[in-house]
Amino acid sequence: MQRAIELSLENMRSNKGGPFGAVVVKDGRIVGEGSNQVLATNDPSAHAEVVAIREACRKLQSFQLTGCEIYSSCEPCPMCMGLIYWSRPECVYYGNTASDAARVGFDDDFIYHELAKPAQNRSLKMTQMMREQALAAFRLWADKPDKIQY
């Protein structure tokens, strides 16, 4: 956790992004680390956890973080939580809470509330279209004998 906090502080000193840092640990050693790079890269997905998970997966040559722990300087946002669940680490440790983040202007609570609503009731207009055509890829996946589940 100390390294995740150091990364968040270094990021603030370098003015490259928000006050967030994260590390992925396996067998007691850091295999991925990252700080928020949203402003530096103009990439809204470049959160500290995303950067750290991408690095860890590259190093481990796996899309799953089995046996790993994630340390984040702040409770992960909805996007990062989705990625964390998909990467399947053993556990997550965090420093600041989502409420702490909201108090300094990072209000993820809005997204959590939006995701709980039916698609048609969200503030972002969402319209389903061409479902039958889109289902063709799912049918191929369902019939694929050598697929790797994830």
Side-chain angles (χ1 to χ4, degrees):
M1 180 60 80
Q2 184 61 44
R3 180 62 182 149
I5 294 169
E6 287 171 9
L7 287 165
S8 70
L9 291 168
E10 288 171 15
N11 212 43
M12 290 311 303
R13 290 185 199 108
S14 69
N15 203 29
K16 290 184 180 177
F20 306 98
V23 296
V24 178
V25 174
K26 182 168 182 133
D27 300 327
R29 65 180 178 82
I30 294 175
V31 294
E33 65 177 36
S35 56
N36 181 286
Q37 299 296 307
V38 171
L39 300 177
T41 62
N42 291 316
D43 178 353
S45 71
H47 289 199
E49 296 89 343
V50 173
V51 174
I53 289 170
R54 286 177 178 163
E55 181 179 304
C57 288
R58 268 192 307 276
K59 283 185 181 175
L60 297 173
Q61 297 183 329
S62 175
F63 59 86
Q64 294 187 339
L65 298 176
T66 306
C68 293
E69 302 165 338
I70 296 176
Y71 295 81
S72 178
S73 65
C74 186
E75 184 176 359
C77 75
M79 176 185 70
C80 292
M81 281 305 302
L83 174 60
I84 289 167
Y85 274 99
W86 279 115
S87 66
R88 294 177 172 82
E90 299 299 316
C91 59
V92 177
Y93 299 95
Y94 62 92
N96 295 313
T97 66
S99 296
D100 295 332
R103 279 193 286 280
V104 296
F106 296 96
D107 195 1
D108 303 333
D109 195 47
F110 168 75
I111 299 171
Y112 280 113
H113 284 23
E114 284 288 298
L115 292 175
K117 295 177 184 178
Q120 67 273 14
N121 294 343
R122 295 178 185 153
S123 63
L124 178 63
K125 182 182 176 189
M126 298 186 70
T127 305
Q128 184 180 25
M129 60 185 291
M130 298 180 68
R131 180 172 182 257
E132 284 306 312
Q133 293 88 333
L135 282 171
F138 279 8
R139 288 185 194 103
L140 290 172
W141 175 259
D143 295 338
K144 184 174 172 58
D146 61 342
K147 65 183 163 236
I148 297 172
Q149 291 288 352
Y150 63 95

